[in-house]
Amino acid sequence: MVFRDLERAIERGVDGVLGRVFRAEVTIPEIAKRIERELNAGARRGGEATRVMPNDINVRLNLADARSLGVDKAALQRELLDAARSHARSAQCAFEGPLVVRVDASDDTQQGTIEVFATTEQSIAGIPPGTLVYPSGYRFDLVSGGPDGVTLGRGDDNDIVIDDPKASRHHALVRPSSRGWILEDLDSTNGTRVNGFRTSAQLLTDRDQIVVGATAFLFDAS
């Protein structure tokens, strides 16, 4: 940890010098590379022989550098979040809590400098991270459902309401377990499918394709 702090200090010093001498332009790909470096540095062995990476990422930029990127803060955070998630997947690593990327911009950070701090934050009450991605690309954080899980169906009392005539009023449940997220069919009329196969209950894995009625979701284990 002391070595990593020293390494960060050296990086900030080098970045600052380069920024002053060459007016180096801060770019989104360069920020993503710095995030990948921090994720790699913080990777460690987790439970069940898996490797885990830090999931709470804080990026600090100079205000002028942030403005020069040409995107608003929310769009930048989403792009960096996707980059971090993609990197962890390619490295065959998981997260122990929901993946979060925050970008802070102020004049307190030296212009031309990219500061990245990555730490591990456990999920609430030990609930594993997990996301359902809608066909539109919207992401629903399963952790928000708590230990009881998340229900899907046409009924307005579901956590995820599906406007689909082929979906039952209470169609399926996605609930947390010690092994991960489990999808259960709630005796629906048209069934629930994972990767094309009808199921009554199944442990989900990263990138599983879920079809409820005629509506498809993607399960993302982060």
Side-chain angles (χ1 to χ4, degrees):
M1 187 61 152
V2 173
F3 175 78
R4 188 60 190 149
D5 290 340
L6 177 60
E7 190 178 43
R8 285 198 187 103
I10 293 173
E11 286 176 355
R12 289 196 295 271
V14 171
D15 285 345
V17 170
L18 291 176
R20 289 192 297 273
V21 176
F22 298 105
R23 288 299 177 189
E25 182 181 3
V26 172
T27 65
I28 295 176
E30 184 61 29
I31 299 171
K33 287 181 182 178
R34 295 299 180 89
I35 289 176
E36 291 177 6
R37 188 183 305 173
E38 288 297 317
L39 292 179
N40 291 340
R44 59 179 176 80
R45 185 168 299 280
E48 298 183 3
T50 61
R51 283 179 58 77
V52 297
M53 285 181 165
N55 61 296
D56 192 282
I57 302 165
N58 180 220
V59 178
R60 299 176 187 173
L61 304 173
N62 179 269
L63 194 57
D65 288 333
R67 288 171 177 166
S68 72
L69 295 174
V71 296
D72 62 32
K73 181 178 178 179
L76 176 59
Q77 290 180 155
R78 284 196 300 271
E79 188 166 347
L80 295 175
L81 187 75
D82 288 341
R85 183 179 291 112
S86 177
H87 176 68
R89 184 173 292 118
S90 66
Q92 298 184 322
C93 289
F95 300 106
E96 292 184 325
L99 181 60
V100 177
V101 175
R102 298 186 307 280
V103 176
D104 297 321
S106 74
D107 290 328
D108 293 336
T109 302
Q110 176 70 47
Q111 191 167 0
T113 298
I114 302 170
E115 297 183 6
V116 178
F117 301 87
T119 58
T120 298
E121 299 293 336
Q122 300 288 339
S123 284
I124 300 172
I127 298 174
T131 306
L132 281 186
V133 185
Y134 286 52
S136 65
Y138 174 79
R139 304 178 66 87
F140 185 95
D141 184 4
L142 292 171
V143 176
S144 65
D148 294 331
V150 171
T151 57
L152 301 87
R154 283 189 298 108
D156 292 338
D157 55 342
N158 288 284
D159 299 294
I160 297 178
V161 179
I162 303 173
D163 185 14
D164 178 355
K166 291 189 177 181
S168 298
R169 285 190 55 81
H170 299 99
H171 196 109
L173 168 70
V174 184
R175 62 175 178 82
S177 74
S178 60
R179 296 180 296 158
W181 289 93
I182 294 176
L183 173 69
E184 295 181 2
D185 183 78
L186 301 178
D187 295 325
S188 65
T189 301
N190 292 309
T192 301
R193 289 174 170 78
V194 177
N195 300 326
F197 296 94
R198 189 161 178 164
T199 184
S200 57
Q202 184 167 330
L203 179 67
L204 296 174
T205 60
D206 189 42
R207 313 306 285 174
D208 274 347
Q209 301 282 343
I210 300 169
V211 176
V212 175
T215 304
F217 296 89
L218 177 70
F219 174 72
D220 195 325
S222 61

